[in-house]
Amino acid sequence: RPAVMNAFELISTSQGLNLGVLFEK
Amino acid sequence: CCDLDLHKQPKGLEDPEILARETVFSVSEIEALYELFKKISSAVVDDGFINKEEFQLALFKTSQKESLFADRVFDLFDTKHDGILGFEEFARAISVFHPNAPIDDKIEFSFQLYDLKQQGFIERQEVKQMVVATLAESGMNLSDEIIESIIDKTFEEADTKHDGKIDKEEWRSLVLRHPSLLKNMTLQYLKDITTTFPSFVFYSQVDD
């Protein structure tokens, strides 16, 4: 349930923070 | 036909040994990382630097997307603050994301990432701005009431000094209690970089 989620947990799922994409061929 | 100088390092990769010494990468890994750098930095202008457009293109496959976080990450990588990333800046910043990088470096980097205004603390308004941006980027829709309650709960837990902001010490104890908050600070890909970008062997200076 989103109401108990940590805000930073939510933020860290942001697409712009997924640098793994850089390494995908 | 060719005047190949096999001992000459490519531009931007003049001193892989120094970079290897000062990061968690081996010389071979630095050389392999340079292959990735070349690919990203030549996408729009082949000038040996990654500009913001190229960075966005590599992250999102489009340069049109607006992303608060891509901008923030780029600015943190850009330690010379000149709007472009040279290989050294890129390698030093990416090193923090290596599985073997010290956790303190990851904590520091993530704190700076979220300290949007770079005031030395994360304030409520910044957290709200980031939550709203994340939701917009991912196409999720939450009511303002739910967003406020998520932030309330987060501050209840993180802001142990009850001054309405999260300082570095509070951030550190929060992420040590919730290691999942640092999940995006580690890229497992970096362990296999020499196999992902094997072409570095054509000019490699080392056998490791």
Side-chain angles (χ1 to χ4, degrees):
Chain A
R1 289 177 42 223
V4 294
M5 195 187 220
N6 185 300
F8 292 106
E9 227 162 275
L10 183 66
I11 294 165
S12 64
T13 62
S14 168
Q15 204 191 345
L17 291 178
N18 179 18
L19 295 189
V21 181
L22 300 178
F23 299 86
E24 283 164 7
K25 284 215 150 180
Chain B
C1 72
C2 310
D3 185 21
L4 268 182
D5 182 352
L6 291 174
H7 298 291
K8 197 173 163 193
Q9 290 286 12
K11 187 176 166 274
L13 188 64
E14 283 84 8
D15 230 326
E17 285 88 359
I18 291 183
L19 267 179
R21 245 193 333 265
E22 294 175 4
T23 62
V24 296
F25 296 116
S26 66
V27 174
S28 293
E29 286 170 332
I30 288 287
E31 290 169 338
L33 191 61
Y34 185 72
E35 293 299 302
L36 169 66
F37 178 81
K38 266 196 309 191
K39 192 175 111 187
I40 301 173
S41 66
S42 60
V44 180
V45 193
D46 194 0
D47 58 355
F49 292 96
I50 298 176
N51 61 32
K52 204 169 261 185
E53 190 185 353
E54 288 166 331
F55 192 67
Q56 291 220 336
L57 205 55
L59 272 184
F60 306 124
K61 317 291 171 219
T62 166
S63 54
Q64 304 306 313
K65 194 176 157 72
E66 283 284 313
S67 167
L68 169 74
F69 299 104
D71 281 358
R72 193 75 199 107
V73 171
F74 185 91
D75 291 343
L76 280 179
F77 276 37
D78 181 17
T79 50
K80 290 183 183 160
H81 309 292
D82 56 3
I84 47 173
L85 307 179
F87 178 62
E88 200 182 312
E89 287 169 302
F90 182 74
R92 286 181 193 279
I94 284 286
S95 171
V96 176
F97 291 81
H98 195 283
N100 299 345
I103 188 157
D104 281 342
D105 292 357
K106 295 176 190 286
I107 294 173
E108 172 70 26
F109 193 98
S110 61
F111 181 79
Q112 289 189 31
L113 195 61
Y114 297 142
D115 177 13
L116 294 179
K117 292 195 246 167
Q118 297 160 73
Q119 302 177 105
F121 50 82
I122 303 166
E123 59 184 17
R124 199 187 157 93
Q125 182 272 329
E126 288 170 309
V127 178
K128 176 135 189 199
Q129 188 184 346
M130 291 186 280
V131 169
V132 169
T134 305
L135 294 173
E137 280 183 24
S138 54
M140 267 195 284
N141 207 352
L142 290 181
S143 69
D144 193 59
E145 200 187 337
I146 292 179
I147 295 173
E148 287 292 334
S149 81
I150 293 172
I151 299 173
D152 281 344
K153 270 207 141 334
T154 304
F155 270 76
E156 250 169 58
E157 190 188 356
D159 179 20
T160 49
K161 293 172 192 157
H162 308 292
D163 58 0
K165 50 200 184 192
I166 300 164
D167 63 23
K168 216 176 268 185
E169 200 186 329
E170 289 168 331
W171 176 250
R172 190 183 156 74
S173 70
L174 180 73
V175 297
L176 291 178
R177 283 199 306 276
H178 299 283
S180 67
L181 296 183
L182 289 181
K183 224 169 85 186
N184 60 344
M185 289 302 306
T186 294
L187 299 170
Q188 293 300 332
Y189 296 92
L190 289 170
K191 283 228 165 196
D192 308 316
I193 189 147
T194 52
T195 44
T196 315
F197 299 99
S199 50
F200 76 93
V201 296
F202 295 122
Y203 62 82
S204 180
Q205 302 282 298
V206 292
D207 299 326
D208 70 0

